[in-house]
Amino acid sequence: MSTVIRPATREDLSALATALAPLPLFQAYKLDASALTERFHGALDRGEGLLLATGDSGPMGVCWFLTRGTFGTGAYLRTLAVSEAQQGSGLGARLLAAYETGCGSPPGGYFLLTSDFNTGAQRFYLRHGYRQVGQLPDFAVPGVSEFIFWKPRVRG
């Protein structure tokens, strides 16, 4: 079986959270599998976009997003995470493309935040046409700045 990206279901959430909780990003924010499962349930309850990447070995990645809301017109990528075993495989790029496709062409473009210490993510988003447009010091936790990244929508 190849990797499939599809909408997550409630039945997926515990295994997804267990697969992703060991990632350094979630460890830095003290989000264990239980906390992630709760957050993913909340996303489904609110009708937010929650895509799962899965394969033979089970869940491998997630893309959590809002199709509108940033500055009233932009889409917002809340979380994109790929298991360590899949990093560098192109799965992150596939999930990012699924987010952009899933949001259509929002008038305000595509937004996300990435932590100042997450330099790998910063390089990833820059390679995919995003640019840093600001920062929010102490936004999520004291002592960490969240960098605001933005990609304008394609006008056609």
Side-chain angles (χ1 to χ4, degrees):
M1 175 182 164
S2 62
T3 303
V4 174
I5 296 174
R6 62 170 173 77
T9 66
R10 292 192 181 285
E11 294 75 27
D12 298 320
L13 302 184
S14 179
L16 175 62
T18 299
L20 298 179
L23 291 173
L25 176 66
F26 296 126
Q27 294 295 305
Y29 288 103
K30 298 180 179 19
L31 294 171
D32 62 11
S34 176
L36 286 174
T37 299
E38 185 176 319
R39 287 176 175 230
F40 295 153
H41 274 283
L44 289 182
D45 290 345
R46 291 185 299 273
E48 298 169 359
L50 192 66
L51 299 176
L52 165 78
T54 188
D56 291 335
S57 60
M60 299 182 293
V62 68
C63 178
W64 177 7
F65 61 93
L66 306 173
T67 59
R68 297 287 186 280
T70 307
F71 303 115
T73 62
Y76 176 62
L77 177 60
R78 182 154 182 174
T79 301
L80 189 145
V82 175
S83 68
E84 286 189 358
Q86 292 296 316
Q87 291 180 7
S89 71
L91 182 56
R94 288 181 57 203
L95 283 165
L96 185 62
Y99 153 66
E100 292 176 3
T101 299
C103 293
S105 188
Y110 308 92
F111 289 87
L112 60 95
L113 299 177
T114 187
S115 305
D116 59 7
F117 61 82
N118 198 346
T119 57
Q122 294 164 34
R123 288 190 306 271
F124 172 81
Y125 293 118
L126 288 169
R127 280 194 315 269
H128 288 90
Y130 287 76
R131 61 183 184 243
Q132 184 183 338
V133 295
Q135 77 178 36
L136 301 168
D138 305 315
F139 181 73
V141 295
V144 175
S145 286
E146 299 297 329
F147 293 151
I148 305 166
F149 277 70
W150 173 64
K151 181 179 182 180
R153 75 180 175 117
V154 176
R155 302 195 190 274

